[in-house]
Amino acid sequence: MTQQVLVKSAPRNSSGRSRFSHKTLERRFPDVIIIGVKKGGTRALINMLSSHPKIKAAKSEPQFFSFKFQNGLKWYIEQMPLTEKDELTIEKSPNYFDVSLAPKRLHRLKPKSQKIKLILIVRNPVIRAISDYAQRLAQNINHILSFEELIFLHNGKINTQVGEVKRSIYDVHFQRWLKWFHRKQILVVNGDELITNPVPVLQQVETFLNVSHYFKDSLFTIDKEKGFFCWKVNPEAKEPKCLGSSKGREHPIVSNSTLNKMKEFLKPHAQNFCQLAAVKFNWCSL
């Protein structure tokens, strides 16, 4: 299913006269989906990738396979950007990773699901959980539970049903995706590295997507205020593009005791995930 639009363009020829040409743009089922994880770096990744001349990104998170499946496939296609035949369409909805029905729903859309490429960006699961909580605080000024009150049950055990914890149990969710998709369809990248050294991560994605290598160090500068990288949307751009004000927000102070309990709980899950994903990130052993 696609939606086509015919566009007229009028480039100038050598004599200065306009000569019209036609190109067909279409909204189509995405070639690539960033499936998660929330607070793993999905917004930074898709914003950077959308600077690539052969990649066009959906402007918002459709959340189709998680919370809006009832809207239908036609609605989903309408959320996609207009692209040319040789361009890739990409969307990101971080909650796909941990919503149990998402991989099954996507898999059922054959033959599209057999060709789709999936990207999972993850970071240190303990830090991710704290970042998730920081966002909760920012979105709900009346929220009064501390991080400890939120994640611990009355008996002192960690509450695995709380989103901040649940989303950091990477191996459980990843196994669910592996049940429906070949491992070769999924690229797992390190969100911590995207923050500190984005170019190798972006080049890894370019190779996975089989597009030309566009990203290089000269396109990036440091945002001195936040310590994050900004990037030029094209080599001729005068001003770099930076992440929004909601990114890089200050994390709440968490006691060493709580951090140690979180590490102890998440360590076997992190190790199992890294083994399943065949990656060697610096937090795999926590």
Side-chain angles (χ1 to χ4, degrees), residues 33-248:
I33 299 178
I34 300 175
I35 60 173
V37 62
K38 182 182 179 183
K39 308 309 298 179
T42 60
R43 173 52 59 191
L45 181 59
I46 198 167
N47 280 3
M48 291 176 183
L49 287 177
S50 64
S51 299
H52 193 290
K54 293 299 181 182
I55 298 176
K56 295 294 184 291
K59 291 183 178 180
S60 60
E61 297 176 4
Q63 301 184 11
F64 178 63
F65 298 103
S66 49
F67 304 134
K68 299 180 182 180
F69 197 63
Q70 71 279 2
N71 288 0
L73 186 58
K74 183 176 182 292
W75 175 89
Y76 182 52
I77 300 297
E78 290 171 349
Q79 312 312 304
M80 298 302 119
L82 288 168
T83 55
E84 296 184 47
K85 280 188 175 182
D86 63 343
E87 294 175 332
L88 295 180
T89 297
I90 184 172
E91 72 110 323
K92 74 108 174 173
S93 297
N95 48 41
Y96 289 168
F97 183 55
D98 58 281
V99 170
S100 59
L101 287 175
K104 182 179 180 180
R105 285 170 170 171
L106 175 55
H107 179 265
R108 288 171 59 186
L109 294 179
K110 295 179 179 179
K112 296 179 177 65
S113 63
Q114 295 172 310
K115 298 178 181 179
I116 194 107
K117 291 189 175 183
L118 308 172
I119 300 175
L120 172 64
I121 180 168
V122 290
R123 60 187 301 202
N124 182 311
V126 176
I127 303 303
R128 193 223 64 81
I130 297 172
S131 180
D132 205 344
Y133 173 74
Q135 185 178 60
R136 180 194 288 256
L137 284 180
Q139 293 176 343
N140 184 4
I141 60 175
N142 295 318
H143 183 75
I144 58 173
L145 292 179
S146 68
F147 184 69
E148 286 80 3
E149 291 171 329
L150 182 70
I151 69 166
F152 290 120
L153 297 169
H154 294 301
N155 59 9
K157 292 184 178 181
I158 289 180
N159 185 355
T160 59
Q161 299 306 307
V162 172
E164 283 79 349
V165 175
K166 183 179 179 181
R167 285 185 281 270
S168 282
I169 307 176
Y170 297 154
D171 60 330
V172 172
H173 310 305
F174 193 60
Q175 284 176 317
R176 188 185 305 122
W177 280 91
L178 290 178
K179 178 181 177 182
W180 297 102
F181 291 90
H182 294 295
R183 176 64 185 86
K184 65 181 180 181
Q185 288 181 265
I186 309 174
L187 176 67
V188 179
V189 296
N190 191 346
D192 293 320
E193 186 179 355
L194 184 70
I195 295 172
T196 59
N197 192 18
V199 173
V201 176
L202 293 169
Q203 290 179 342
Q204 183 185 6
V205 175
E206 287 173 323
T207 299
F208 176 65
L209 300 183
N210 195 29
V211 294
S212 61
H213 278 213
Y214 167 80
F215 295 103
K216 52 188 177 182
D217 291 331
S218 60
L219 293 176
F220 291 83
T221 58
I222 286 285
D223 181 341
K224 295 180 180 179
E225 183 178 342
K226 288 190 174 184
F228 288 164
F229 277 92
C230 301
W231 65 98
K232 294 182 179 179
V233 294
N234 62 68
E236 288 75 36
K238 294 182 179 180
E239 296 295 330
K241 180 178 181 178
C242 300
L243 296 175
S245 59
S246 65
K247 303 302 178 183

